[in-house]
Amino acid sequence: MSSEVPPEPGDMEPEFYLDVPGAKLVTTDVLLQVQDTIAETIDARAMSLIYGASGLGKTFATRAALRAIAPDLLLSLQFARSRPGPKDLREELFHQLRLPGKMPGTATPLYRQLMAALPRRPYVIVCDEAQQYNRACFELIRNLWDNSRKQRPAVLFIGGHEAYDTLQSDPSLASRLCARREVKAMSTEEMLEVIPLTHTVWATADPELLKHIDRVHADGSMREWAKVTHYVLKGLKHFHTDTVDRQVVHGALAQC
């Protein structure tokens, strides 16, 4: 069970992995594609899925794309424990909607309160780590969306391939998805364009050295590149140098 505390309602500011000092937000193809998917979903008040392997930047890109949305319209469903159930989702929505009074102790009256509250404003429900959801969780979100006819919330599921498989295996769920955006690892060509922009430490690095790092470790993953950057910065201090060379990279990769 995770001990992490979920963020405050509406807190969707993108967080750099390992909080690497000097890391920069780069407008990658992934970010642009996610932005398009989110804009389409919100405009249509629809449900969509952003999915892919871990570490490729799904959550980061989603948070970056949602920064222009008013925080009080974002209902970001994240949980301190893995494998949440429908009860967890109902209770989290109650808190994020800031509904008055004591939360009902049973499912039906709580569901009715959510149904009354959701159509009042153009909410955006963000379901991160959706690969943790079981079918009953997806069904709950679908029912809330189906029954909010006056003003449906936009719904974004962000997760791994397991989320895609669960949604696709149920025709009633799959048919309601407006878009399915798969986030893939960077190609070598894209990596050579993007990584020198993510941090000044890579700005003048030898492209062949970047290819070596990507080939033996990072494999197009933004999270793994953040990890390498973290240890390269430590290596520069250790070796008292400003140059990212084979020695610095070898030391960094040994710690990744």
Side-chain angles (χ1 to χ4, degrees), residues 13-82:
E13 188 68 21
E15 298 175 346
F16 289 98
Y17 181 62
L18 295 178
D19 197 23
V20 177
K24 300 175 183 177
L25 175 62
V26 180
T27 305
T28 62
D29 287 345
V30 167
L31 180 56
L32 292 174
Q33 291 167 6
V34 169
Q35 284 178 335
D36 288 345
T37 299
I38 289 175
E40 179 183 359
T41 303
I42 292 175
D43 287 346
R45 312 310 301 171
M47 295 197 298
S48 293
L49 170 66
I50 299 168
Y51 71 101
S54 62
L56 300 184
K58 301 182 300 295
T59 297
F60 185 93
T62 300
R63 286 172 173 259
L66 285 170
R67 284 188 301 176
I69 304 297
D72 57 346
L73 296 179
L74 290 173
L75 307 176
S76 177
L77 305 188
Q78 299 183 64
F79 304 92
R81 73 180 187 90
S82 61

Side-chain angles (χ1 to χ4, degrees), residues 46-48 142 145-146 170-180:
M47 295 197 298
S48 293
R142 179 186 68 81
W145 184 83
D146 275 350
D170 187 323
S172 66
L173 292 169
S175 65
R176 284 166 172 79
L177 288 178
C178 171
R180 301 159 180 82

Side-chain angles (χ1 to χ4, degrees), residues 41-42 44-47 118-125 142-155 176:
T41 303
I42 292 175
R45 312 310 301 171
M47 295 197 298
L118 281 171
R120 293 174 185 167
R121 305 188 67 192
Y123 290 109
V124 179
I125 300 176
R142 179 186 68 81
N143 286 330
L144 288 170
W145 184 83
D146 275 350
N147 294 314
S148 301
R149 293 187 179 90
K150 291 182 180 179
Q151 181 163 248
R152 283 176 169 149
V155 178
R176 284 166 172 79

